[in-house]
Amino acid sequence: MGKYILEMNHVKKDFPGVRALDDVFLRIKRGEIHALVGENGAGKSTLMKILSGVYPHGTYEGQILLNDEEQIFSNINDSIKVGLATIYQELALVQYLDIVENIFLGHEIQNSMGRIDYEQEYDIAKKALKEVGLNIEPATKVKNLGIGQQQLVEIAKAIVKNANIIILDEPTSALTDEECRNLLNLLRDFRKRGVTCIYISHKLSEVFDIADTITILRDGRMVDTRDVDKISKDELISLMVGRTISQRFPEVKHKPGKKVFEIRNWTAYNPELQDKKKLDDVSVSVREGEVVGIAGLMGAGRTELALSILGTYGLKVSGELYLDEKKIINKNPNDAIKNGICYLSEDRKGNGLILGMDIKKNISLPNLFNISKYGVINENEEIKYAEKYREDLKIKTPSIEHVVANLSGGNQQKVVIAKWLMALPKVLILDEPTRGIDVGAKYEIYNIINQLAESGVAIIMISSELPEIIGMSDTILVMHEGKIVGEYKRGEATQEKIMQSAIGGEEHEKTRIS
């Protein structure tokens, strides 16, 4: 048996108008954690979809060797049979089935009568959930889980399959710090057992913490493979992006103006547990050209605050919304858009885009009233706007007719931003705006946010990345259990102070109406 458990040789893959992979080599040693890094669009996920059988043999050029034997995968099941398990960035769970049913979907355990042995599945699932640090009832419907919890269910699925190679594509993008630590410790245990992990992540601190070896892709080509202790973070970033990035956040000082948007005494009850408050007397105000960052642990109520403002979350919602000092009511997202309030979802693939549509239609869809007359869409106007935002936001695509599903994560995020720019928002709520985006694309998104602030847009930015919150916000609000428990001005906050507030260790003034 050779040195490598896995080899991929001379891999090439084309999409219409784009060469996604160009003569890529990958060598993975047995029992190592091998990080695969690169900007969005570098080809990481495409390479892993070839490896896992999503793109079957015949749709690409090249060779896959597993334990020195060539593999021909016609579908995902073929890769699973030889011990490969993949946890995709796009979660592959059935929302209306419970956790147990999702874990065993397609390979159910049968009893002697030929029926599904749910009790045995339940016990195995419960053990797997405990391994990933998810303390939750296995019979819980997946639709009632947060994105971070769903990600851990995906990891539990891989554990149950007893895979000897696990591919993790951005596994911590939606996890809290504690959940991240649990996962990384779990991967260390896998390494001790001889399990090989391929780890795709834009969080370079995690890569240096967990990986043994790093392979860098850029523009569909393999740039280099290094042992992690033989490369610095700055050198890695330079290899990833093909240029030196001297700072993570643009140095721009916003000049906030008059108060634009105000949330007063906002309270909402959990729709699943109708006697439990999810938001408790929250008050927030945002000025013209100001970036207000909202931090907090998962479950603190950050996303629920945004969704309840749009009219899509909560029971017995009370409180008041003011736009330019006039009281408004948003019964649904359409009302919010008409009132000048737009929301970029944390789940761009599930809620932000229609993946099967092209770029042009995704940008224009929420803005048809701006380019229509008597119910007829002016296609020339639609093309004009799409081309404008393609150029303004530097969306990398061969055409605005290109299907959004084939774009990189960073470019997909730019399409979501473009559709809300076309709506000319007064208030833009950004929920995890750089989740799953590489370091170069993040910097571009930060520049866009600053340009919006300079143009007078009031911005609320929800983020789990504390350096991002500190680097981009004029004011930082910290949520804990549905309340605002901390407030810091630019320059006052540290990661330690924010985390102290987020865990409920220090409660500050709860209202912010001035």
Side-chain angles (χ1 to χ4, degrees):
M1 199 171 286
K3 177 181 180 182
Y4 301 108
I5 189 173
L6 171 69
E7 296 180 57
M8 300 182 76
N9 300 317
H10 299 291
V11 178
K12 297 180 181 179
K13 172 68 178 172
D14 292 326
F15 293 108
V18 179
R19 170 148 287 186
L21 296 170
D22 191 2
D23 200 31
V24 171
F25 288 79
L26 184 65
R27 304 281 188 271
I28 308 292
K29 297 174 187 174
R30 192 177 313 279
E32 74 169 344
I33 298 176
H34 194 114
L36 191 60
V37 302
E39 291 191 274
N40 283 103
K44 307 180 300 296
S45 294
T46 301
L47 188 65
M48 292 301 99
K49 285 178 179 178
I50 288 172
L51 176 58
S52 60
V54 172
Y55 297 139
H57 186 79
T59 65
Y60 62 91
E61 297 179 35
Q63 179 190 52
I64 299 172
L65 295 176
L66 193 62
N67 293 319
D68 298 325
E69 293 185 9
E70 185 169 3
Q71 303 296 319
I72 306 294
F73 297 148
S74 299
N75 51 50
I76 296 173
N77 286 333
D78 287 348
S79 67
I80 292 173
K81 288 174 185 176
V82 296
L84 278 163
T86 306
I87 300 161
Y88 298 104
Q89 186 176 353
E90 303 91 350
L91 301 177
L93 299 173
V94 181
Q95 297 292 307
Y96 287 91
L97 296 181
D98 67 27
I99 295 172
V100 177
E101 292 165 329
N102 268 280
I103 286 176
F104 288 95
L105 190 63
H107 58 107
E108 290 81 3
I109 298 175
Q110 295 183 348
N111 60 22
S112 58
M113 305 283 291
R115 295 174 180 171
I116 294 174
D117 190 338
Y118 186 85
E119 287 187 12
Q120 187 177 349
E121 289 182 351
Y122 180 97
D123 290 340
I124 295 171
K126 189 171 185 177
K127 183 179 177 182
L129 293 178
K130 186 177 180 180
E131 272 197 77
V132 300
L134 187 54
N135 183 24
I136 199 164
E137 168 58 43
T140 303
K141 300 286 187 203
V142 165
K143 70 182 180 69
N144 295 328
L145 303 179
I147 291 177
Q149 292 172 321
Q150 292 185 34
Q151 186 79 315
L152 292 175
V153 171
E154 287 277 23
I155 295 165
K157 283 171 62 178
I159 290 173
V160 168
K161 291 174 184 174
N162 294 316
N164 52 42
I165 299 178
I166 299 178
I167 303 164
L168 302 105
D169 191 352
E170 298 291 350
T172 66
S173 63
L175 304 187
T176 64
D177 288 344
E178 183 178 357
E179 289 167 338
C180 287
R181 285 192 294 271
N182 289 339
L183 173 61
L184 297 183
N185 286 332
L186 181 61
L187 297 186
R188 293 185 181 98
D189 289 341
F190 285 167
R191 179 166 52 194
K192 290 176 184 176
R193 299 181 214 168
V195 176
T196 302
C197 294
I198 302 173
Y199 194 88
I200 301 174
S201 179
H202 295 307
K203 297 181 179 179
L204 299 186
S205 58
E206 288 178 5
V207 168
F208 280 92
D209 186 22
I210 195 68
D212 302 298
T213 309
I214 303 173
T215 290
I216 305 107
L217 294 181
R218 185 173 74 236
D219 297 329
R221 293 176 174 269
M222 195 202 84
V223 176
D224 204 352
T225 295
R226 302 271 192 95
D227 291 339
V228 73
D229 58 356
K230 294 179 180 178
I231 188 169
S232 69
K233 186 177 290 188
D234 287 343
E235 188 179 5
L236 177 59
I237 290 172
S238 181
L239 288 171
M240 285 170 57
V241 303
R243 61 193 185 278
T244 301
I245 294 181
S246 59
Q247 59 191 63
R248 291 184 61 186
F249 305 100
E251 289 185 2
V252 174
K253 292 185 178 179
H254 305 136
K255 297 177 181 177
K258 66 178 182 179
K259 187 190 303 179
V260 173
F261 183 56
E262 193 174 346
I263 306 163
R264 292 185 186 174
N265 310 116
W266 198 255
T267 297
Y269 285 79
N270 190 323
E272 301 295 332
L273 304 168
Q274 298 184 18
D275 60 343
K276 180 177 176 58
K277 287 181 182 179
K278 190 63 181 179
L279 300 166
D280 189 0
D281 197 28
V282 173
S283 293
V284 178
S285 68
V286 194
R287 292 178 290 166
E288 187 179 77
E290 181 182 25
V291 177
V292 172
I294 299 185
L297 302 178
M298 187 175 295
R302 299 168 303 164
T303 295
E304 290 82 359
L305 175 61
L307 295 178
S308 63
I309 291 168
L310 301 176
T312 64
Y313 178 88
L315 292 175
K316 296 186 289 184
V317 178
S318 62
E320 297 175 328
L321 302 177
Y322 289 86
L323 189 70
D324 291 329
E325 299 186 352
K326 294 181 181 178
K327 187 175 179 180
I328 60 169
I329 296 174
N330 297 328
K331 294 180 180 178
N332 51 54
N334 195 43
D335 285 350
I337 293 170
K338 288 179 179 177
N339 283 323
I341 302 171
C342 296
Y343 170 69
L344 186 148
S345 169
E346 64 174 333
D347 181 10
R348 62 175 171 266
K349 292 181 185 291
N351 298 320
L353 297 165
I354 299 178
L355 296 176
M357 276 188 177
D358 62 32
I359 294 167
K360 168 170 58 70
K361 287 185 171 62
N362 268 281
I363 291 174
S364 65
L365 193 59
N367 302 291
L368 294 179
F369 54 88
N370 286 332
I371 56 171
S372 302
K373 192 171 184 178
Y374 306 120
V376 179
I377 297 172
N378 185 328
E379 292 187 3
N380 289 332
E381 285 291 296
E382 187 178 37
I383 291 169
K384 183 181 79 173
Y385 277 108
E387 289 288 6
K388 168 182 165 53
Y389 292 119
R390 173 195 181 185
E391 182 177 345
D392 289 352
L393 302 183
K394 298 181 176 62
I395 300 171
K396 295 177 183 177
T397 175
S399 165
I400 57 172
E401 309 288 343
H402 201 63
V403 174
V404 166
N406 293 333
L407 296 177
S408 68
N411 285 301
Q412 287 181 350
Q413 193 75 324
K414 289 180 183 179
V415 173
V416 182
I417 293 172
K419 76 177 184 180
W420 295 130
L421 292 187
M422 187 176 169
L424 301 174
K426 291 184 176 181
V427 180
L428 182 58
I429 304 171
L430 304 169
D431 197 346
E432 304 289 359
T434 65
R435 172 173 286 166
I437 293 177
D438 63 79
V439 64
K442 280 186 176 184
Y443 195 84
E444 292 179 350
I445 297 293
Y446 297 147
N447 274 324
I448 292 167
I449 292 170
N450 282 333
Q451 288 164 14
L452 288 169
E454 286 174 20
S455 71
V457 177
I459 295 171
I460 297 174
M461 186 179 74
I462 299 166
S463 178
S464 299
E465 296 191 29
L466 296 186
E468 179 172 271
I469 283 283
I470 293 170
M472 290 299 297
S473 305
D474 300 298
T475 302
I476 299 169
L477 304 179
V478 187
M479 293 191 70
H480 173 71
E481 295 184 351
K483 298 179 180 180
I484 302 291
V485 296
E487 178 175 343
Y488 304 93
K489 297 295 183 183
R490 181 183 286 274
E492 294 177 351
T494 64
Q495 293 191 46
E496 291 76 16
K497 286 181 179 179
I498 293 173
M499 187 54 63
Q500 180 71 17
S501 295
I503 63 177
E506 181 179 355
E507 186 154 333
H508 294 257
E509 186 67 32
K510 296 183 179 63
T511 59
R512 180 175 183 260
I513 302 178
S514 58

